[in-house]
Amino acid sequence: FSRRITFPLWDKDGNIVGFSARIYRGEKDASKYMNSKETKIFKKGETLYNYHNAKDEAKRKKEIVVVEGFMDAIRLMVSGVTNVVALQGTAMTTEQISLLKKLRAKVILCLDNDNAGLLATANNGEELVKNGVETFVIRLSGEKDPDEYIVANGKEAFLENLEHPLTFFEFKMNYLKQNKDLSKVEDLADYVNAVLKDLGESNDPILREVTLSKLSQEYNLSMDVLKSKLDKKEVVLEKKEELKKEDNNKKEID
């Protein structure tokens, strides 16, 4: 850890279980971060940076902000956003999702403003939603990450973004438009089918109605056709679930 900034890493109860050290002189041949070796008490994928500090405020506010790096979490803490944790990377693990679920709070993903952060937002959001976690998204513009954004624009600008996060489904609808030219029939059909596929997995009737209405109005599509298509996708999903249950029952019998 020589010539690096060293960060203590805590478990969920506030016990120091390891360390992470970051370069700060712009060294090109060195890894950006070095972590303590994993032990019985420290497994990186089972911790969330700052969780022990953030959990009480997250329970009180009923929301937790999730960022990528230490500096993002520290900058938000200094700016008054104390209900913040960092993944220490981009991929969210099952253990980290379990820690977030224990808070019984909505999760606001605020990951880096690059392609890796965009992909991580989509993937992590999917996993959170699958696990029954109410999920929202903030995508900052201009700077690479929340730390740089606050330095450049001030904490008030960040807090304004925090006041108006997108629902994960709203984010997903925008995400599905990536690399598509919706003036082309094929791209538009792919986009609508992808939205309907996601919508078919939702149990929220209002979300379904609003989304179908929006698709119908924006792209001049028949509501009847959209509803019919959605119904067919639901039947396919139900059959897949039935087959999965049958397969699991057979395995248990065997």
Side-chain angles (χ1 to χ4, degrees), residues 143-193:
E143 270 63 46
K144 179 181 178 292
D145 54 35
D147 176 30
E148 292 182 4
Y149 183 88
I150 292 173
V151 170
N153 302 284
K155 68 177 184 180
E156 291 78 12
F158 180 85
L159 293 174
E160 179 65 23
N161 280 279
L162 191 57
E163 288 288 323
H164 304 94
L166 295 173
T167 66
F168 181 70
F169 193 80
E170 287 174 315
F171 160 80
K172 190 68 184 294
M173 286 187 71
N174 292 330
Y175 178 75
L176 291 171
K177 293 178 183 177
Q178 296 286 314
N179 303 317
K180 285 186 172 60
D181 181 353
L182 298 185
S183 66
K184 293 181 179 179
V185 174
E186 295 84 357
D187 281 4
L188 178 58
D190 287 344
Y191 168 68
V192 172
N193 280 322

Side-chain angles (χ1 to χ4, degrees), residues 61-78:
K61 285 189 172 180
K62 299 191 181 303
E63 67 179 41
I64 183 78
V65 181
V66 177
V67 295
E68 284 188 32
F70 305 129
M71 293 308 298
D72 297 322
I74 292 169
R75 182 69 65 184
L76 263 65
M77 286 282 288
V78 170

